[in-house]
């Protein structure tokens, strides 16, 4: 059976959905103004672009690098284990944050542990079906999200007030840098690229460039909308994108909270499916167990975090994410590139020696 | 049941007849007519009801009685049967008893000559067949009014009349260890990829069922994806639809005894296309196509969304509607969830009763169901009027896409259950899982969700709108081109 492949467009959508999930679940501690966040996003995107250079080169020379690096079975095993650990952690955090969101906004729907288990099980099923199905479904969910954002912007009954765009003050700098750190720790697309590399077709580096540009434009646009319409009202619901839905009204739909939650839940299932699919690659045999074990671990971790048995502050979460991103998204691709270059040079030297 | 006899035909006539009687177990429909042709003993064997007696008499017995040759021996008589005489346009030499059994059961008349270790089989089918009539399940306004019948050869001719091209091919296959049902793979050479034909033949050869009597017996073996919610094959009873599909590079399978053809592969989006779309103006056809999309959404999602919104997310609904719902809910004894399940169950029972009842009293079902039960239930306060309206719209919408009837019904129930317990969250999780399940279905290396996912821009024009025939003649539809970016095939 041929290895499943996903196109550049589908890869772009998967990494965008992962990013959007994190933005959806972002809860501002205090939202004094949006402009520091908008500036922070500009800075973090620039840093992210720099961090993405090794991955970009890796994608350019993907076939040659993989052929060289993957010959080493031990290296392959270690890499898969690290990716599995990282993505079980990411999946667990996503489930935990989603349960927090549901508890704070829709507490009567279901018990948090039930929400975590349901999402983990659904994600495991999607992971079992394979990355191709998730990638195709992701295209649909991505466009549903875009349509929802456009609709909320169009039917928003709040006034677009440019006066809300207050210049960045000295007191806002801490908030700005906090956001920069948070945004960089959300660069999961870097380790995600490594995890999905065997599924990618030629030209995947275009997805990386597209992601950086789109992410900046999309999130900056959302922040602009939120700031101009809502300003500090965001503090009330806590979730900025959710806050946007509060003022959106149509004849049929009076409030968009539940509609937002619907789209976020769709996204959460798919994104978790991607994470669990990558985590399951560390198992030698591909069967139900290879997805159920990571899903169970992620769910257990999420429940323990929710019940405060494992205390994970936002700073600790961001730190662990950042370590994973630097290790798996920057250092590993860099090391692979260096290893490949050394191997190529050694081979050239050997050939020129034999010719002589 | 003993396996078909691989013994060769004997020279002795009596032994041949005894062997046939033994194989058919003295079955009363095995007819043996002994004749003497210029002193040579012969026998004509048929199965009662499978051959036309009048045709048999004209085509076989009359020429036999007119045969005159002095000192004719067994060889001469067999030569007359096999070479000199013209008895039927479908003549075959029979060497084995297994072949003899097959021909007898297919309506052939077998002739044995004492002293010759071969037989001759002549096509003389005369079993009762239904005449070609209007399609029962795929009616239309302006298209052809012919539908397939149970006889495979008639069905083949219905397709041949529409594709008058020698590239149209029919390949016989067999399925069913006991039934030995004849199947026919239909395709256009040069359009249908060889890999698709090979895939289909390979999967049919793997069928180990005893009896193959319906298209449903074969469908699971053709679809590679276990656990797929939607089927990547479809059925049609229209020869014009088959002709259209095979011209796009697909293949069709006719089954002897079944008035439906199987089309493989099928795309999800094709369930929303009808024959009338291509008989009407593009703008009207486009409008009707979007009506069908809306009908499918209403049929599967409306009850669940309504229940979820009314129970868990009342803030979503407009104020006037919400107040109306509250007022109605106060008068009913059951929870909205229970009411919804009761009404859906009632509707399914009435639908099933309507299908099974004889046509003469079928009308009574709609009167009892619609007027008596529905009206009485609302008047007595058992069920709220808004709920009945929602179910009424849902029921009507569900008849718009008959090809997805099973999936629509199950999806509706599932949405009601998850929506009732977990609101929009439950529906979202169900939809996500179903979406991935549907997107991963690609039994014939063609994604079921094509041309939307993966996206094939050119083909999408005939999804969002009904493309004009002027545009269609510029671009030949081809199933292989729908593999798009992101499809890896097998």
């Amino acid at each position: 059976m041929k290895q499943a492949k996903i196109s550049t467009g589908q890869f772009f959508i998967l990494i965008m959905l992962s990013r959007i999930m994190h933005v959806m679940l972002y809860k501002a501690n205090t939202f004094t103004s949006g402009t520091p966040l908008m500036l922070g996003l500009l800075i973090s995107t620039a840093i992210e672009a720099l961090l993405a250079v090794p991955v970009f080169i890796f994608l350019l020379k993907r076939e040659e690098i993989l052929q060289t690096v993957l010959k080493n079975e031990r290296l392959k095993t270690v890499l898969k284990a690290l990716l599995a650990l990282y993505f079980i952690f990411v999946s667990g955090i996503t489930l935990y944050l989603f349960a927090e969101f549901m508890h704070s906004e829709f507490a009567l729907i279901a018990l948090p542990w039930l929400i975590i288990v349901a999402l983990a099980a659904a994600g495991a099923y999607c992971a079992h079906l394979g990355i191709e199905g998730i990638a195709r479904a992701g295209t649909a969910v991505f466009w549903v999200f875009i349509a929802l954002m456009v609709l909320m912007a169009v039917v928003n009954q709040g006034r677009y007030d440019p006066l809300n765009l207050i210049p960045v003050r000295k007191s806002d700098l801490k908030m700005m840098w906090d956001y920069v750190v948070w945004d960089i720790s959300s660069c999961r697309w870097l380790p995600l690229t490594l995890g999905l590399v065997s599924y990618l077709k030629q030209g995947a580096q275009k997805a990386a460039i597209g992601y950086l540009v789109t992410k900046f434009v999309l999130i900056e646009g959302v922040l602009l909308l939120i700031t101009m319409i809502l300003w500090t009202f965001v503090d009330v619901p806590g979730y900025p994108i959710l806050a946007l839905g509060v003022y959106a009204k149509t004849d049929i739909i009076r409030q968009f909270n539940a509609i937002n939650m619907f789209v976020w839940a769709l996204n959460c299932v798919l994104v978790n499916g991607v994470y669990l699919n990558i985590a399951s690659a560390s198992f030698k045999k591909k069967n139900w167990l290879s997805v159920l074990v990571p899903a169970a671990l992620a769910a257990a971790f999420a429940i323990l975090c929710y019940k405060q048995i494992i205390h994970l502050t936002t700073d600790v979460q961001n730190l662990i994410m950042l370590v994973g991103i630097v290790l798996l998204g920057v250092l590993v691709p860099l090391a692979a590139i260096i290893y490949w270059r050394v191997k190529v040079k050694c081979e050239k030297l050997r050939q020129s020696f034999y010719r002589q | 049941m003993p396996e078909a006899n691989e013994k060769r035909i004997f020279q002795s006539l009596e032994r041949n007849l005894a062997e046939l009687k033994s194989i058919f177990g003295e079955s009363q429909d095995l007819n043996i007519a002994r004749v003497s042709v210029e002193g040579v003993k012969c026998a004509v064997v048929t199965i009662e009801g499978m051959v036309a007696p009048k045709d048999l008499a004209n085509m076989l017995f009359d020429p036999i009685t007119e045969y005159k040759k002095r000192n004719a021996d067994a060889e001469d008589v067999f030569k007359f049967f096999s070479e000199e005489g013209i008895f039927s346009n479908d003549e075959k030499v029979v060497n084995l008893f297994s072949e003899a059994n097959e021909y007898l059961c297919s309506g052939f008349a077998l002739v044995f000559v004492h002293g010759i270790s071969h037989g001759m089989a002549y096509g003389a089918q005369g079993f009762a067949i239904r005449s070609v009539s209007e399609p029962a399940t795929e009616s239309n306004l302006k298209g052809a009014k012919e539908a397939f019948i149970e006889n495979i050869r008639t069905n083949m001719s219905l397709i041949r009349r529409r594709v008058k091209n020698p590239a149209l091919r029919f390949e016989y296959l067999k399925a069913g260890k006991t039934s030995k049902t004849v199947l026919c793979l239909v395709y256009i050479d040069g359009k249908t990829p060889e890999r698709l034909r090979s895939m289909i033949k390979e999967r049919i050869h793997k069928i180990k069922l005893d009896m193959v009597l319906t298209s449903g017996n074969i469908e699971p073996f053709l679809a590679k994806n276990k656990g797929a919610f939607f089927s990547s094959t479809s059925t049609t009873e229209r020869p014009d639809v088959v002709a259209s599909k095979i011209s796009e590079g697909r293949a069709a399978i006719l089954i002897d005894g079944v008035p439906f053809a199987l089309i493989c592969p099928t795309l999800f989006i094709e369930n929303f296309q009808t024959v009338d779309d291509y008989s009407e103006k593009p703008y009207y056809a486009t409008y009707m196509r979007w009506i069908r999309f809306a009908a499918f959404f209403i049929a599967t999602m409306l009850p669940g969304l309504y229940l979820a919104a009314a129970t868990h997310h009342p803030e979503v609904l407009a104020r006037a509607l919400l107040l109306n719902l509250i007022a109605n809910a106060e008068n009913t004894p059951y929870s909205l969830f229970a009411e919804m399940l009761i009404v859906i169950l009632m509707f399914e029972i009435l639908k099933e009763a309507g299908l099974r009842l004889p046509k003469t009293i079928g009308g009574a079902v709609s009167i009892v169901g619609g007027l008596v039960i529905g009206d009485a239930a609302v008047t007595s306060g058992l069920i709220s009027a808004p709920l009945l309206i929602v179910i009424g719209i849902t029921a009507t919408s569900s008849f718009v896409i008959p090809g997805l009837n099973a999936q629509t019904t199950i999806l509706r129930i599932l949405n009601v259950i998850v929506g009732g317990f977990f609101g929009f969250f439950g529906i979202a999780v169900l939809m996500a899982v179903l979406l991935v399940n549907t997107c991963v279905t690609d039994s014939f290396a063609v994604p079921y969700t094509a041309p939307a996912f993966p996206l094939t821009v050119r083909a999408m024009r005939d999804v969002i709108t009904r493309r004009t025939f002027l545009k269609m003649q510029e671009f030949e539809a081809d199933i292989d081109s729908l593999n798009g970016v992101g499809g890896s095939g097998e």
Side-chain angles (χ1 to χ4, degrees):
Chain A
M1 195 173 154
K2 255 169 51 178
Q3 164 81 303
K5 290 284 182 194
I6 56 175
S7 68
T8 304
Q10 287 173 339
F11 173 55
F12 163 77
I13 280 172
L14 284 180
I15 55 179
M16 276 306 306
L17 284 177
S18 168
R19 189 69 182 86
I20 288 167
M21 187 78 249
H22 212 210
V23 171
M24 284 167 172
L25 296 176
Y26 169 72
K27 190 167 183 177
N29 288 326
T30 51
F31 198 93
T32 53
S33 172
T35 35
L37 302 188
M38 290 168 69
L39 181 61
L41 181 67
L42 184 63
I43 298 169
S44 64
T45 305
I47 298 172
E48 193 177 347
L50 278 170
L51 289 174
V53 167
V55 157
F56 187 79
I57 299 171
F58 185 87
L59 288 173
L60 269 176
K61 300 288 179 187
R62 189 172 59 97
E63 293 292 342
E64 297 103 310
I65 296 174
L66 283 176
Q67 267 175 19
T68 315
V69 170
L70 294 179
K71 274 183 194 161
N72 192 325
E73 282 298 323
R74 206 179 285 176
L75 201 63
K76 217 165 82 174
T77 310
V78 167
L79 198 58
K80 281 186 177 173
L82 282 173
L83 280 168
L85 272 171
Y86 178 71
F87 281 106
I88 289 171
F89 174 78
V90 170
S91 173
I93 289 293
T94 308
L95 293 173
Y96 157 58
L97 290 174
F98 196 91
E100 279 275 346
F101 156 70
M102 288 294 287
H103 177 70
S104 73
E105 303 298 325
F106 303 96
L108 299 176
I109 294 288
L111 295 169
W113 68 264
L114 198 55
I115 288 170
I116 289 170
V117 167
L119 288 171
Y125 177 71
C126 294
H128 177 70
L129 289 179
I131 201 70
E132 240 179 332
I134 299 174
R136 289 174 193 162
T139 313
V141 171
F142 179 73
W143 288 113
V144 166
F145 170 75
I146 297 293
L148 178 64
M149 295 306 297
V150 167
L151 179 65
M152 285 200 299
V154 163
V155 303
N156 213 291
Q157 298 193 353
R159 281 186 311 122
Y160 291 83
D161 193 351
L163 288 177
N164 288 347
L165 295 169
I166 298 169
V168 178
R169 299 163 292 193
K170 209 172 172 183
S171 54
D172 296 329
L173 286 178
K174 184 185 181 307
M175 186 179 161
M176 186 192 81
W177 287 112
D178 282 345
Y179 184 81
V180 169
V181 169
W182 178 86
D183 194 63
I184 294 173
S185 69
S186 310
C187 302
R188 296 170 202 181
W189 72 278
L190 294 172
L192 206 57
T193 304
L194 200 64
L196 294 176
V197 74
S198 54
Y199 299 116
L200 301 179
K201 291 184 177 177
Q202 282 293 98
Q205 63 277 8
K206 287 184 238 168
I209 300 168
Y211 164 83
L212 285 167
V213 171
T214 310
K215 167 231 163 176
F216 177 72
V217 168
L218 191 67
I219 300 176
E220 200 81 333
V222 166
L223 284 172
L224 183 70
L225 264 175
I226 289 167
T227 309
M228 286 180 77
I229 298 171
L230 300 169
W231 198 36
T232 56
F233 177 75
V234 177
D235 270 354
V236 174
Y239 294 92
I241 292 187
L242 203 67
L244 203 61
V246 171
Y247 272 103
K249 271 180 188 41
T250 67
D251 285 340
I252 302 165
I253 303 170
R254 202 155 54 99
Q255 241 195 51
F256 275 77
N257 277 11
I259 314 291
N260 268 306
M261 182 264 284
F262 178 85
V263 176
W264 297 12
L266 277 178
N267 193 15
C268 192
V269 171
L270 292 189
V271 155
N272 254 316
V274 176
Y275 298 155
L276 294 173
N277 185 278
I278 296 171
S280 72
S282 61
F283 285 74
K284 279 201 176 113
K285 216 175 170 186
K286 286 273 181 191
N287 54 20
W288 272 107
L289 262 182
S290 64
V291 289
L292 272 177
V293 168
L297 288 171
F301 176 65
I303 292 170
L304 291 173
C305 287
Y306 186 84
K307 297 248 185 232
Q308 302 280 308
I309 295 169
I310 298 176
H311 289 277
L312 269 186
T313 60
T314 312
D315 290 336
V316 172
Q317 281 175 39
N318 289 342
L319 184 65
I320 297 172
M321 295 284 196
L322 214 49
V323 166
I325 286 161
V326 168
L327 178 65
L328 294 168
V330 181
L331 294 177
V332 166
L334 197 59
I337 293 164
I338 295 168
Y339 182 74
W340 165 68
R341 289 297 302 165
V342 165
K343 278 277 180 187
V344 164
K345 275 221 152 55
C346 289
E347 191 57 35
K348 275 189 184 152
L349 279 168
R350 199 180 298 132
Q351 279 176 4
S352 64
F353 176 77
Y354 279 127
R355 253 184 250 126
Q356 284 167 4
Chain B
M1 186 180 164
E3 285 295 329
N5 204 317
E6 290 302 321
K7 280 185 197 166
R8 294 195 65 85
I9 303 292
F10 302 117
Q11 283 194 332
S12 161
L13 179 67
E14 293 308 318
R15 276 190 81 184
N16 286 332
L17 296 178
E19 183 68 27
L20 279 175
K21 280 181 190 170
S22 158
I23 290 168
F24 279 88
E26 305 286 343
S27 180
Q28 296 300 305
D29 61 348
L30 183 71
N31 285 341
I32 297 171
R34 292 170 189 274
V35 290
S36 177
V37 181
E38 291 298 292
V40 177
K41 285 186 198 165
C42 304
V44 177
V45 185
T46 55
I47 300 263
E48 188 172 330
M50 296 292 279
V51 297
K54 229 182 221 179
D55 292 343
L56 195 66
N58 288 336
M59 123 190 147
L60 201 57
F61 290 120
D62 286 347
I64 286 174
T65 51
E66 284 166 12
Y67 176 71
K68 297 270 179 267
K69 184 175 179 175
R70 215 175 258 189
N71 299 324
D73 60 8
E75 294 281 349
D76 293 327
V77 170
F78 189 77
K79 196 178 173 187
F80 164 66
F81 279 121
S82 60
E83 290 170 33
E84 291 171 7
I86 300 171
F87 302 99
S88 167
N89 64 346
D90 196 0
E91 295 181 4
K92 303 204 193 295
V93 177
V94 180
N95 298 306
L96 303 172
F97 278 103
S98 58
E99 291 170 1
N101 301 337
E102 193 183 311
Y103 290 131
L104 276 173
C105 292
S106 301
F108 281 68
L110 259 55
V111 174
F112 295 104
V113 178
H114 179 72
I116 303 292
S117 59
H118 307 286
M120 284 302 297
Y122 301 104
Q125 289 85 358
F127 38 77
I129 56 174
R130 192 162 56 93
S131 55
V132 173
S133 57
E134 276 195 49
T137 59
E138 292 170 71
S139 55
N140 65 296
L141 296 171
K142 291 187 182 176
K145 304 275 189 256
E146 284 182 330
F148 288 130
I149 61 169
E150 284 74 6
N151 182 255
I152 199 171
R153 284 174 178 77
T154 310
N155 295 339
M156 286 159 63
S157 70
L158 288 173
I159 301 170
R160 178 66 75 180
R161 276 168 40 206
R162 284 164 174 82
V163 184
K164 296 180 178 68
N165 192 317
L168 172 66
R169 301 289 155 81
F170 297 102
E171 271 187 46
Y172 282 134
L173 301 163
K174 277 231 176 66
K177 287 195 290 195
T178 303
S179 63
K180 296 194 194 304
T181 308
V182 173
L183 310 179
C184 180
L185 179 64
V186 187
Y187 60 92
I188 294 179
D189 191 33
K191 285 194 181 255
T192 308
E194 169 60 37
R195 64 163 180 79
L196 176 62
R197 283 153 29 203
S198 308
M199 253 188 254
I200 293 170
K201 282 189 263 190
E202 195 191 315
R203 292 175 192 180
I204 288 178
H205 284 134
K206 285 185 181 167
I207 297 175
K208 291 192 184 352
L209 289 175
D210 255 353
M211 305 289 283
V212 170
L213 300 172
T214 68
S215 55
N217 293 148
I218 295 176
E219 268 188 89
F221 296 92
L222 291 176
K224 194 180 61 130
N225 296 107
K226 289 182 199 169
F229 189 71
F230 293 95
S231 174
S232 50
T233 59
S234 63
T235 54
T236 181
E237 57 174 345
R238 301 184 63 99
D240 49 352
V241 169
V242 168
S244 162
K245 295 296 179 195
I246 59 176
S247 74
E248 290 172 358
R250 294 163 220 259
I253 300 167
L254 301 173
I255 306 164
D256 193 25
V258 176
F260 286 89
L262 275 167
I263 310 279
C264 5
T266 284
L267 306 176
F268 175 72
I269 211 68
E270 285 165 348
N271 291 294
F272 302 90
Q273 297 169 348
T274 67
V275 171
D276 279 329
D277 283 356
Y278 299 92
S279 312
E280 299 285 0
K281 288 277 189 192
Y283 57 82
Y284 179 70
T286 303
Y287 167 71
M288 289 314 298
R289 202 168 275 183
W290 280 93
I291 292 286
R292 284 180 220 118
F293 291 147
F296 178 71
F297 177 80
I298 290 168
T300 52
M301 303 290 291
L302 183 63
L305 289 175
Y306 172 76
L307 182 63
T311 311
H312 297 283
H313 311 287
E315 73 278 3
V316 170
L317 300 171
R319 192 183 300 276
L321 175 60
L322 191 59
L323 291 172
N324 201 331
L325 289 177
I326 294 168
N328 275 283
E330 276 177 356
N331 295 330
T332 55
Y334 303 114
S335 68
L336 193 57
F337 184 38
E339 272 181 57
M340 181 75 78
L341 284 179
I342 290 168
V343 174
I344 286 179
L345 187 66
M346 256 170 47
F347 164 65
E348 294 298 334
I349 290 171
L350 286 168
K351 195 172 81 172
E352 191 64 15
L355 274 175
R356 309 284 163 228
L357 276 174
K359 285 192 174 63
T360 44
I361 55 171
V365 172
S366 49
I367 295 168
V368 168
L371 297 178
V372 176
I373 298 176
D375 187 52
V378 171
T379 313
S380 64
L382 273 174
I383 294 165
S384 61
L387 181 68
L388 214 54
I389 292 167
V390 164
I391 295 298
I393 295 169
T394 304
T396 313
S397 302
S398 67
F399 295 128
V400 173
I401 318 287
L404 292 176
N405 181 52
Q407 290 85 359
T408 305
T409 306
I410 299 298
L411 257 182
R412 183 166 51 236
I413 301 279
L414 286 176
N415 272 317
V416 164
I417 293 170
V418 296
F421 281 117
F422 301 115
F424 283 1
F425 170 74
I427 295 175
V429 172
L430 177 67
M431 285 299 109
V433 159
L434 182 72
L435 190 59
V436 177
N437 180 290
T438 308
C439 287
V440 95
T441 305
D442 63 356
S443 293
F444 299 96
V446 176
Y448 183 67
T449 48
F453 320 113
L455 181 67
T456 310
V457 176
R458 209 180 239 176
M460 274 299 283
R461 286 186 209 134
D462 202 35
V463 169
I464 300 167
T465 62
R466 202 228 75 195
R467 216 169 38 180
T468 64
F469 289 111
L470 291 169
K471 289 278 181 203
M472 274 193 214
Q473 66 185 4
E474 288 166 20
F475 167 64
E476 239 180 62
D478 175 20
I479 198 74
D480 253 351
S481 68
L482 292 176
N483 210 6
V485 280
S488 66
E490 213 173 41

